[in-house]
Amino acid sequence: MASPSHDLLIVGAGINGAGIARDAALRGLSVVVCDRGDIAGATSSASTKLIHGGIRYLEQAAFGLVRESLREREILGRIAAHLVRPQRFIVPHTGERPAWMLAVGLKLYDLLSGRHSLPASQRLPPDFPLLHQLDRPASGAHAYFDLWVDDARLTLTNLMDARTHGAEVLPRHALVAASADPAGGWRCTLSGHAGRREIHARCVVNVAGPWVAEVEGLRGAPPPPVRLVQGTHILLPRLHAGDDAWLLQQPDRRVVFVIPWDAHSHLVGTTETELESPSALGETATELHYLLSAVQRAFGRRLHTDDIEWAFSGMRPLIGGDGKDARTASREYRLSLDTTDRRRTWLTVQGGKLTTYRRLAETAVDLLNGPLGLASRSSTADRNLPGSGPAGCAALADLNRKAGVIPKEWIDALWHRHGALTSQLIDNHAGGAGGAGRDFGGGLFEAEARWCAAQEWATAADDVMWRRTRCGVRMTPAQRAAFTGWWSAQPFG
């Protein structure tokens, strides 16, 4: 019998699967990544888009998780510089928690972060100008910093780096069968648009998130306890000018974030609603009312569902069985390594959060060193993701000088999505007399769509509009339909 042709088959192309693929490929392992949907097609494109320590986890005494998250915040701010931005949060003193408690919590937050590049927290006076935006007076406020991130593109760039080091990435390829090969390894069957494909791997890594139990069932293993908690977000017209975000304390002791999305909108989220199964995903009237009420309570605006520009929901696949409510359930992760038969290995990943994906991946591949006969160390903390680098500002200025007929605002938007790869995108797909090509609206041009198809595994119009660029938010229904029609008529459509 032939020996396994790959070291790892990673099932799930969300942020954790992408991080494991990158780490493993950088250590020289042969990697295949599959997902029955798009890259970052579920949870990893539907987060609150924050790289943060989780200040509210301090109330739950999750000091280890907060410390690890803050350490990862510093690393990601360095290796993914074009995808993140420092974000200041204002926490008004509105009575749900006393000011002294906020002060102590934020001081502890600063201490746990160690040496860091973001400003320390501070107390703001009652006459701080932004507090005038609130409907009811606040006795003061605190401010602290975390990072905003484009979650879908963070996932994507991890896979792009994995591909550079030999990984094969197969979106829209579902794992439909997995069986132990008597000679060693796993025989796995993938089903995609072009038919079925057999993968022979020494190890399978199940990082399917909400569908982790379904994948376990393919090998006849009992399903691990999985708890699905839905988080819904809404986009509202700008509540006020400026770059600051809010952390609004709620009467039920939850918090709601209000974060600048662009010049026109604020992102508001999130909720915590228990789900029975992934098929139940979808924002509810109760959730929309909760978020609108939080904004109305803070800013005194009369808001209705008609004011919502966009709503989206994601599933947090938390570790099940801890008996806590959704607000206090653990955001830590669990790695379960099955080496019962030394001829093959199966690793199951549960839980986790966007901020700690890199550390989770490093730990996962470290676990596999023994079964795979390796003695390697992770390098992901020291290597920039594709598009990030120290020469960013100079390169952006050079691009704007050479823009010609290409709109400057489009180049700036491209930079925040593609970083230093923007020059390749323009050279490869926007070099003709027509510049960026057809303008589909919402900031989406033909050149970028072609790049997404050629370099970023986009296989459907929605992949481009809602995950690669998010330009769909600013496109009209007619523009989205026109782009979908154009995409379908292309060889890659």
Side-chain angles (χ1 to χ4, degrees), residues 87-255:
Q87 180 63 67
R88 184 167 71 163
F89 287 88
I90 309 299
V91 189
H93 301 159
T94 50
E96 290 80 6
R97 293 169 179 83
W100 67 263
M101 181 182 293
L102 295 174
V104 170
L106 287 169
K107 178 58 67 176
L108 180 58
Y109 200 65
D110 291 337
L111 290 172
L112 289 172
S113 67
R115 297 181 61 183
H116 56 91
S117 57
L118 293 175
S121 62
Q122 62 179 133
R123 182 160 186 164
L124 304 175
D127 61 351
F128 182 70
L130 195 59
L131 295 181
H132 298 159
Q133 299 289 341
L134 298 174
D135 182 53
R136 51 179 174 150
S139 61
H142 277 80
Y144 71 97
F145 278 82
D146 273 320
L147 295 177
W148 179 94
V149 67
D150 187 327
D151 51 3
R153 293 208 63 86
L154 181 65
T155 305
L156 179 69
T157 52
N158 272 271
L159 288 173
M160 292 173 72
D161 204 26
R163 177 179 60 190
T164 298
H165 291 82
E168 184 177 7
V169 181
L170 300 171
R172 293 192 165 84
H173 281 73
L175 178 68
V176 295
S179 59
D181 190 320
W186 296 94
R187 291 282 181 185
C188 300
T189 303
L190 308 183
S191 179
H193 66 279
R196 297 202 164 198
R197 176 173 171 184
E198 300 298 322
I199 298 290
H200 192 194
R202 297 169 67 190
C203 174
V204 173
V205 181
N206 177 5
V207 62
W211 299 274
V212 66
E214 181 179 322
V215 173
E216 289 297 301
L218 294 176
R219 65 171 179 136
V226 179
R227 186 176 188 180
L228 299 180
V229 177
Q230 173 173 283
T232 291
H233 301 77
I234 58 175
L235 208 62
L236 292 174
R238 267 276 184 166
L239 299 164
H240 56 77
D243 297 328
D244 285 320
W246 298 86
L247 185 151
L248 303 176
Q249 303 177 73
Q250 302 305 302
D252 60 1
R253 299 192 66 79
R254 293 196 64 258
V255 300

Side-chain angles (χ1 to χ4, degrees), residues 399-408 411:
L399 278 172
N400 281 318
R401 281 193 300 270
K402 296 189 297 186
V405 298
I406 302 173
K408 179 183 181 299
I411 291 183

